[in-house]
């Protein structure tokens, strides 16, 4: 029976990806849409591919060898993949597959011209397009040539680019099969690509059409610049007509070639406006059928369009799901940019944050956003929102102002009561507003110590009460605990304490710039401020290093700890000479800080207590780069520097007109900022402490589901929302397919860069700096900690892989509190995300590190090891020769 090897396009649809691959399945689905014309043809199935590969026994060994290669070793991949392609191309096509293909060609016209195109099972998917990863052959004539090119398509499974793409995306080579699409060749007057959403801005209401003469290969290969039509609401709103000097045409004997376009035709539009609008209408039908924006390849033949491919546009940032019937415009602000965690979150992580946050949040692309539309619509609340967000991150303000400049996107509403937290993206302090501070609290350290003690008492009660809860009763208890969580977080006195420190910082910077011409003076005045739990965490790890430094066997153990499991790490450490003392020091550190980790707002991230080996490289760096007593010396040095700065500022102020008044006001503000600015970090510590308690209880439930064969492994629970996990515990049932889909979606979301601002039209905005005071070639950012430093840039994307030496400048995407142990050993900081009052900025100032944050694409524009100069006072980074 040969029909297992060949299926006509009309026999398949997008449910048959495993049989005919992504391209074949989409073409089959396209052929079923009313009004969409697809060239006739058939698919050579994945069964045929597996049948052919079974005849190549040496392939298995090559696959084993390939799986062991480093994805970055392009030379080895190039050599091995070329060998594998040659083996496949030289192997004879099995007789039964040959018979099936020639039989299909007989039905469609044996002597016709065909396009032969690869169609992998991991291709043209909603989460990964694999565009350009395999091969297409045009104008193939005769059965022998078609069979030869089918073999070449099979071999294209192992092109260098396809192999690297799979390895970098974590896709096992053995899980991907290759089908082949064989279609009657179309000889078009014009062809090109239609994007049903703007691929640059992400706007879903705008479609773009690229068009050129002849076959589409001229555009795909970059041979010519296309005509570009922008279509919105059934109308061409912009068009650019290019000079099209070359085109690709089919040859009578098979294959294609480049030809020169007649001089009289070069600047003629490849499409009329009417045709472009009609094409977009077809694209909207296709988009509706597949349920997401599409990248569509089309051909124009005698004023009729043929669709030859459609795939999801996987680079677009997803949109929040609107309520049924909601057709209003919405503007969303990123939570991750406020919380210094722009990575994708798993469903349990973002759903827990939603349940414990102080304002409603929506999810898109594994990230959380807050809808600020109503705040922007009212002039009174708009100004307050822009002011608060602009102080935190000027790029968010710029992005919102760009949105406000687009007519009709944000409605105009009467003034609303601006009281209450602004609808930004984070619990305190980002959700606080000056309007909640009814009066400045006086400089009173008992306020801070009282707030800290109340938080500790509340967490201790949570730990005690949760111990007896399990099953559905646990989830009922947690829902009540979340209310207590929000009550502590929203404590008015806590908010006043936070705002007192922040307002004092802004007051000092504004007044001392006005009176003394000194930029960001508060950076020095806040050095070694008391009660800063995050800076204390970094210094405490220096104390751990002091314990370990004189223990040679412990040091040897730690240097070779990479092969030791986290679960047994501390026990194994205790077996070495001096290991008991070292273990006690690390245990004490974990008792206080073990709930922290990179990306800690996502409850699913592994905590230091769960993976203590994460701290080993930082401890070893501290041993290498510092001497005994470094923590105390560092803190005292900062305190004295702040005191000297205070004395200098006050003495200079007293020489000014009305100087005594200015000095007295400044002294009161210095007292206030030093009293309250350290507390700025404590609410986050309280949140993360609670999260670890929640997580331990939820993991116990996940463990029970594993033992009862409901879940395959505990971490599968992370791909369920809190509500779904609640239901699973109650019913003892889980949809395994849902978990698999969530895993695939999460993998795709990780590759996306979230915008600072997102609109319901799909436009993704990152904002821009409007400055003309930055040297040519320098990278612009936000100055958050004064000083200038030059040194070696260390581009670090994973804290666990940091290899820093004294004097290095840390360059990374974002830093949350878990990065602070690294700050004690560096000379400066550059991040892509951040604001004046975000954690990295606060700790950089606390440690006196020149820092610039919000530097767009810093980790890509700065090379690891490159010398750079960080201007922390003026907010830019110079790249040095």
């Amino acid at each position: 029976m040969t029909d297992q090897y060949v299926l006509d396009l009309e026999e398949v649809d997008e449910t048959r990806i495993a049989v005919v691959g992504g391209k074949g399945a989409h073409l089959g689905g396209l052929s079923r849409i009313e009004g969409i014309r697809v060239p006739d043809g058939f698919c050579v199935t994945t069964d045929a591919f597996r049948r052919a590969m079974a005849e190549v026994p040496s392939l298995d060994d090559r696959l084993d060898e390939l799986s062991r290669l480093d994805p970055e070793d392009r030379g080895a991949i190039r050599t091995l993949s070329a060998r594998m392609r040659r083996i496949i191309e030289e192997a004879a096509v099995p007789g039964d597959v040959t018979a099936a293909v020639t039989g299909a060609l007989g039905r469609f016209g044996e002597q016709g011209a065909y396009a032969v195109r690869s169609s992998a099972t991991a291709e043209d998917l909603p989460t990964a397009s694999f565009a350009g990863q395999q091969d297409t052959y045009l104008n193939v004539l005769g059965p022998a040539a078609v069979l030869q090119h089918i073999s070449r398509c099979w071999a294209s499974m192992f092109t260098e680019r396809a192999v690297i793409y799979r390895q970098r995306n974590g896709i096992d080579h053995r899980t991907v099969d290759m089908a082949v699409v064989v279609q009657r060749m179309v000889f078009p007057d014009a062809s090109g690509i239609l994007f049903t959403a703007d691929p640059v801005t992400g706007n879903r209401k705008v479609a773009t059409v690229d068009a050129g003469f002849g076959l589409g290969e001229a555009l795909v290969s970059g041979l010519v610049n296309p005509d570009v039509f922008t279509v919105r609401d059934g109308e061409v709103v912009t068009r650019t007509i290019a000079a099209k000097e070359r085109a690709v045409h089919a040859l009578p004997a098979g294959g294609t070639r480049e030809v020169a376009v007649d001089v009289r035709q070069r600047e003629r539009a490849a499409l009329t406006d009417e045709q472009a609008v009609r094409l977009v209408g077809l694209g909207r039908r296709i988009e509706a059928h597949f349920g997401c924006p599409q990248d569509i390849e089309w051909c124009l033949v005698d004023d009729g369009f043929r669709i030859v491919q459609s795939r999801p546009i996987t680079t677009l940032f997803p949109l929040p799901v609107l309520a049924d019937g909601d057709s209003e415009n919405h503007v969303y602000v990123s939570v991750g940019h406020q919380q210094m965690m722009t990575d994708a979150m798993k469903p349990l992580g973002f759903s827990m944050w939603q349940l414990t946050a102080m304002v409603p949040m929506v999810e898109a692309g594994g990230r959380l956003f807050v809808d600020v539309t109503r705040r922007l619509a009212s002039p009174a609340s708009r100004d307050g929102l822009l002011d608060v967000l602009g102080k935190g991150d000027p790029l968010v303000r710029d992005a919102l102002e760009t949105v406000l400049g687009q007519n009709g996107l944000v409605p105009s509403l009467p003034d609303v009561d601006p009281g209450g937290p602004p609808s930004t993206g984070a619990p305190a302090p980002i959700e606080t507003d000056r309007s909640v501070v009814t009066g400045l609290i006086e400089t009173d350290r008992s306020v801070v110590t009282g707030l800290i003690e109340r938080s500790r008492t509340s967490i201790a009660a949570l730990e005690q009460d949760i111990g007896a809860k399990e099953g559905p009763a646990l989830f009922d208890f947690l829902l009540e605990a979340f209310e207590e969580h929000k009550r502590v977080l929203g404590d008015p006195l806590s908010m006043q304490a936070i705002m007192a420190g922040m307002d004092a910082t802004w007051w000092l910077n504004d007044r001392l710039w006005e009176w003394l011409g000194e930029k960001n003076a508060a950076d020095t005045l806040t050095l070694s401020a008391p009660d800063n739990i995050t800076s204390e965490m970094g210094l405490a790890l220096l104390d751990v290093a002091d314990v370990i430094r004189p223990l040679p066997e412990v040091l040897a153990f730690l240097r070779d700890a990479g092969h030791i499991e986290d679960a047994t790490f501390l026990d194994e450490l205790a077996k070495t000479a001096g290991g008991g003392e070292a273990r006690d020091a690390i245990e004490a550190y974990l008792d206080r800080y073990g709930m922290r980790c990179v990306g800690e707002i996502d409850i699913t991230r592994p905590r230091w207590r769960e993976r203590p080996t994460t701290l080993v490289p930082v401890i070893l760096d501290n041993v290498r780069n510092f001497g005994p007593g470094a923590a105390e010396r560092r803190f005292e040095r900062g305190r004295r520097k702040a005191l000297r700065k205070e004395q200098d500022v006050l003495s200079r102020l007293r020489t000014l007109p009305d100087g005594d008044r200015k000095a007295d006001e400044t002294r009161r503000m210095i007292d206030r900022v030093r009293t309250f600015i350290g507390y700025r970090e404590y609410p986050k510590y309280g949140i993360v402490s609670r999260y670890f308690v929640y997580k331990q209880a939820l993991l116990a439930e996940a463990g029970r589901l594993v033992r009862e064969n409901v879940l395959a492994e505990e971490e599968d629970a992370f791909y369920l929302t809190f509500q779904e996990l609640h239901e699973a515990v109650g019913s003892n049932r889980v949809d395994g397919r849902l978990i698999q889909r969530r895993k695939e979606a999460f993998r795709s979301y990780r590759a996306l860069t979230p915008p600072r601002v997102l609109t319901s039209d799909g436009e993704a905005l990152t904002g821009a700096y409007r400055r003309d005071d930055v040297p040519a070639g320098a990278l612009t950012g936000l100055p958050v900690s004064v000083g200038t430093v030059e040194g070696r840039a260390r581009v670090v994307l994973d804290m666990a892989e940091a290899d820093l030496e004294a004097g290095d400048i840390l360059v990374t995407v974002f830093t949350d509190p878990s990065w602070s142990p690294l700050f004690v050993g560096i000379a400066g900081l550059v991040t892509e995300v951040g604001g004046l009052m975000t954690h990295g900025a606060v700790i950089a100032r606390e440690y006196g590190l020149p820092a610039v944050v919000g530097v767009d694409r810093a980790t890509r524009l700065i090379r690891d090891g490159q010398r750079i100069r960080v201007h922390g006072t003026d907010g830019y980074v110079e790249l040095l020769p």
Side-chain angles (χ1 to χ4, degrees):
M1 182 175 177
T2 59
D3 59 0
Q4 72 180 99
Y5 297 139
V6 167
L7 290 171
D8 290 352
L9 283 177
E10 63 186 25
E11 297 180 84
V12 301
D13 60 20
E14 51 271 33
T15 66
R16 307 294 299 277
I17 289 174
V19 178
V20 297
K23 189 180 284 98
H26 275 73
L27 285 168
L30 283 166
S31 67
R32 296 165 182 258
I33 303 173
E34 184 178 354
I36 303 301
R37 300 178 66 182
V38 175
D40 292 335
F42 60 91
C43 299
V44 182
T45 67
T46 53
D47 279 341
F49 172 74
R50 288 189 292 270
R51 170 78 175 85
M53 295 307 101
E55 299 291 312
V56 189
S58 61
L59 203 59
D60 258 353
D61 293 339
R62 302 289 81 77
L63 280 169
D64 289 339
E65 189 177 346
L66 190 63
S67 67
R68 292 191 292 269
L69 293 180
D70 184 334
E72 303 306 318
D73 190 350
R74 300 195 65 154
I77 290 173
R78 183 180 305 116
T79 300
L80 181 55
S81 59
R83 190 185 315 154
M84 295 172 76
R85 291 196 306 276
R86 187 166 58 251
I87 290 170
I88 294 170
E89 288 182 19
E90 291 175 354
V93 177
D96 45 0
V97 175
T98 297
V101 171
T102 54
L105 289 172
R107 294 197 307 277
F108 287 99
E110 192 172 277
Q111 299 307 313
Y114 289 88
V116 182
R117 315 172 75 193
S118 63
S119 180
T121 53
E123 183 178 26
D124 294 353
L125 306 179
T127 56
S129 75
F130 285 71
Q133 299 307 312
Q134 282 88 36
D135 289 341
T136 289
Y137 302 96
L138 301 179
N139 199 28
V140 179
L141 304 179
V146 169
L147 286 164
Q148 179 186 29
H149 286 87
I150 288 171
S151 289
R152 289 180 177 175
C153 284
W154 288 337
S156 73
M157 174 93 157
F158 299 103
T159 61
E160 178 187 350
R161 62 185 181 273
V163 168
I164 290 173
Y165 189 93
R166 288 194 295 272
Q167 288 185 314
R168 287 181 176 171
N169 283 275
I171 299 170
D172 186 342
H173 302 295
R174 296 179 188 274
T175 65
V176 181
D177 290 325
M178 180 69 76
V180 180
V181 176
V182 181
Q183 285 178 283
R184 290 299 301 262
M185 187 69 190
V186 174
F187 302 101
D189 304 312
S191 58
I193 301 168
L194 161 64
F195 296 97
T196 63
D198 189 314
V200 177
T201 68
N203 195 314
R204 269 55 163 190
K205 293 184 178 179
V206 173
T208 62
V209 178
D210 291 1
F213 296 129
L215 293 166
E217 307 313 295
L219 299 187
V220 173
S221 65
L223 181 64
V224 297
N225 292 323
D227 297 341
V228 181
F229 299 82
T230 303
V231 178
R232 180 169 187 148
D233 298 329
E235 180 183 355
V236 173
V237 292
T238 65
R239 73 181 62 75
T240 303
I241 307 304
K244 300 171 285 294
E245 297 183 358
R246 311 289 293 175
V248 174
H249 287 288
L251 293 170
T256 62
R257 72 170 181 180
E258 297 174 21
V259 298
V261 175
D262 188 294
V263 174
R264 294 165 295 181
Q265 300 294 316
R266 289 178 180 176
E267 296 192 14
R268 179 174 68 82
L271 293 178
T272 65
D273 282 6
E274 182 276 331
Q275 288 171 329
V277 170
R278 180 154 43 97
L279 176 60
V280 170
L282 297 176
R284 294 296 180 211
R285 291 189 193 181
I286 295 169
E287 179 182 70
H289 176 83
F290 290 118
C292 61
Q294 297 287 300
D295 165 358
I296 298 166
E297 294 182 23
W298 56 269
C299 296
L300 179 67
V301 183
D302 299 329
D303 197 39
F305 288 102
R306 308 291 192 276
I307 305 301
V308 295
Q309 185 162 323
S310 184
R311 62 169 72 93
I313 307 176
T314 58
T315 56
L316 298 178
F317 199 84
L319 296 180
V321 176
L322 296 176
D324 289 343
D326 184 351
S327 59
E328 300 295 322
N329 293 329
H330 295 268
V331 180
Y332 306 98
V333 171
S334 165
V335 173
H337 286 82
Q338 307 292 331
Q339 284 294 321
M340 298 299 95
M341 213 295 275
T342 55
D343 292 347
M345 299 169 73
K346 296 185 179 79
L348 186 61
F350 66 68
S351 66
M352 290 283 285
W353 195 258
Q354 287 171 309
L355 287 166
T356 54
M358 300 292 286
V359 295
M361 297 180 180
V362 294
E363 180 270 336
R367 280 80 170 187
L368 290 171
F369 295 84
V370 171
D371 189 339
V372 297
T373 315
R374 289 192 63 82
R375 289 266 174 174
L376 290 176
S378 166
S381 58
R382 176 193 309 147
D383 292 342
L385 179 70
L386 292 175
D387 181 58
V388 171
L389 291 178
K391 285 185 180 297
D393 185 345
L395 293 178
V396 172
R397 177 174 187 142
D398 182 80
L400 288 174
E401 289 175 337
T402 300
V403 169
L404 289 167
Q406 299 174 0
N407 291 333
L409 185 59
V410 178
S412 180
L413 298 176
D415 284 352
V416 296
D417 177 12
S423 297
T424 60
I430 301 302
E431 287 175 354
T432 59
D433 189 332
R434 288 173 184 245
S435 61
V436 302
V437 183
T438 57
L440 287 173
I441 54 182
E442 292 303 316
T443 303
D444 185 350
R445 283 189 44 74
S446 67
V447 171
V448 172
T449 55
L451 287 167
I452 290 173
E453 185 56 36
R454 281 156 64 178
S455 176
R456 288 174 177 166
T457 300
S458 178
I459 293 169
L462 171 67
E463 291 174 329
Q464 179 174 341
D465 294 344
I466 205 171
K469 304 297 189 296
E470 61 181 20
L474 169 67
F475 290 83
D476 294 337
F477 170 82
L478 284 174
L479 289 172
E480 294 178 6
F482 297 162
E483 294 307 309
E484 168 67 5
H485 180 124
K486 289 190 281 189
R487 187 198 65 74
V488 172
L489 196 57
D491 182 342
L493 185 60
S494 177
M495 288 186 170
Q496 284 186 322
I498 292 166
M499 288 309 299
M502 294 172 70
D503 273 328
T505 299
W506 293 328
W507 189 97
L508 287 166
N509 283 336
D510 291 345
R511 294 297 185 275
L512 295 180
W513 170 247
E514 177 188 348
W515 293 338
L516 299 177
E518 186 159 346
K519 291 183 178 179
N520 300 327
D523 293 2
T524 305
L525 293 168
T526 54
L527 288 172
S528 296
D531 300 311
N532 189 318
I533 189 72
T534 306
S535 65
E536 290 170 4
M537 179 171 65
L539 297 176
L541 207 59
L542 287 173
D543 292 336
V544 173
D546 285 353
V547 174
I548 290 172
R549 188 177 290 105
L551 304 172
E553 291 195 25
V554 169
L555 286 171
F557 174 86
L558 294 180
R559 291 183 183 116
D560 194 36
H563 66 282
I564 298 175
E565 294 291 329
D566 283 285
T568 60
F569 167 72
L570 292 172
D571 290 337
E572 293 295 318
L573 172 62
K575 296 175 183 178
T576 64
E581 186 181 359
R583 181 189 61 184
D584 291 346
I586 294 174
E587 281 277 16
Y589 186 86
L590 292 174
D591 286 344
R592 186 153 171 76
Y593 304 110
M595 77 295 291
R596 310 217 82 150
C597 67
V598 174
E600 60 193 10
I601 71 169
D602 182 352
I603 196 172
T604 71
R605 291 290 191 100
R607 311 283 136 175
W608 290 344
R609 169 57 77 181
E610 295 168 313
R611 292 190 183 172
T613 57
T614 304
L615 295 171
V616 169
V618 190
I619 293 171
L620 290 174
D621 284 347
N622 287 347
V623 169
R624 183 176 70 245
N625 295 329
F626 297 95
E632 184 177 353
R633 288 197 306 274
R634 189 181 192 99
F635 185 85
E636 182 60 20
R637 185 166 62 244
R639 191 188 66 81
R640 290 184 178 181
K641 188 174 181 180
L643 180 60
R644 288 195 300 270
K645 185 68 172 179
E646 177 181 356
Q647 294 168 341
D648 172 64
V649 164
L650 295 179
S651 65
R652 289 160 61 196
L653 285 172
R654 289 192 177 99
T655 67
L656 301 177
D658 199 18
D660 288 343
R661 177 188 63 81
K662 292 174 180 175
D664 287 345
E665 289 182 3
T666 300
R667 180 184 52 76
R668 285 197 298 274
M669 284 298 178
I670 292 173
D671 288 346
R672 178 171 286 142
V673 80
R674 290 193 64 80
T675 297
F676 293 114
I677 199 64
Y679 178 72
R680 159 70 178 79
E681 293 291 296
Y682 202 87
K684 182 72 169 290
Y685 176 79
I687 292 171
V688 176
S689 297
R690 289 176 175 278
Y691 264 36
F692 191 43
V693 178
Y694 304 153
K695 181 178 185 179
Q696 290 172 302
L698 292 173
L699 278 178
E701 292 301 313
R704 183 185 63 77
L705 293 177
V706 171
R707 290 191 296 275
E708 296 185 10
N709 296 317
V710 178
L711 292 176
E713 55 185 7
E714 283 187 7
E715 292 192 359
D716 280 355
F718 296 162
Y719 295 94
L720 301 173
T721 65
F722 178 85
Q723 298 86 342
E724 290 166 345
L725 183 56
H726 188 177
E727 293 169 6
V729 167
S731 66
N732 246 27
R733 289 197 304 273
V734 168
D735 183 352
R737 293 168 301 177
L738 173 65
I739 290 176
Q740 187 57 40
R741 289 196 302 272
R742 294 273 178 80
K743 288 181 177 181
E744 292 170 359
F746 177 72
R747 186 176 65 219
S748 71
Y749 294 157
R750 291 176 66 185
L752 298 176
T753 300
R756 284 175 166 82
V757 172
L758 183 67
T759 74
S760 51
D761 284 354
E763 192 162 2
L765 300 100
T766 57
Y769 294 103
R770 314 293 176 177
R771 295 176 55 183
D772 55 9
D773 60 343
V774 174
L779 307 180
T780 307
L782 178 67
V784 295
S785 185
V786 295
T788 300
V789 65
E790 180 179 321
R792 180 180 67 162
R794 296 314 308 263
V795 179
V796 179
L797 301 180
D798 182 346
M799 175 182 159
E801 297 177 2
D803 182 16
L804 298 167
E805 296 181 1
D808 283 347
I809 297 170
L810 175 62
V811 180
T812 190
V813 178
F814 61 81
T815 62
D816 59 13
S818 69
W819 288 73
S820 64
L822 295 182
F823 283 28
V824 299
I826 59 175
L829 174 70
V830 179
T831 68
E832 295 182 356
V833 177
L836 186 64
M837 285 297 174
T838 49
H839 302 280
V842 171
I843 303 308
R845 291 194 293 272
E846 175 74 14
Y847 288 164
L849 303 174
V852 180
V853 302
V855 180
D856 187 39
R857 297 178 296 145
T859 59
R860 283 167 280 181
L861 297 175
I862 299 172
R863 299 189 314 276
D864 184 50
Q866 181 177 15
R867 290 196 68 78
I868 61 175
R869 186 179 297 123
V870 177
H871 295 262
T873 305
D874 296 310
Y876 62 90
V877 180
E878 289 184 279
L879 309 180
L880 303 178

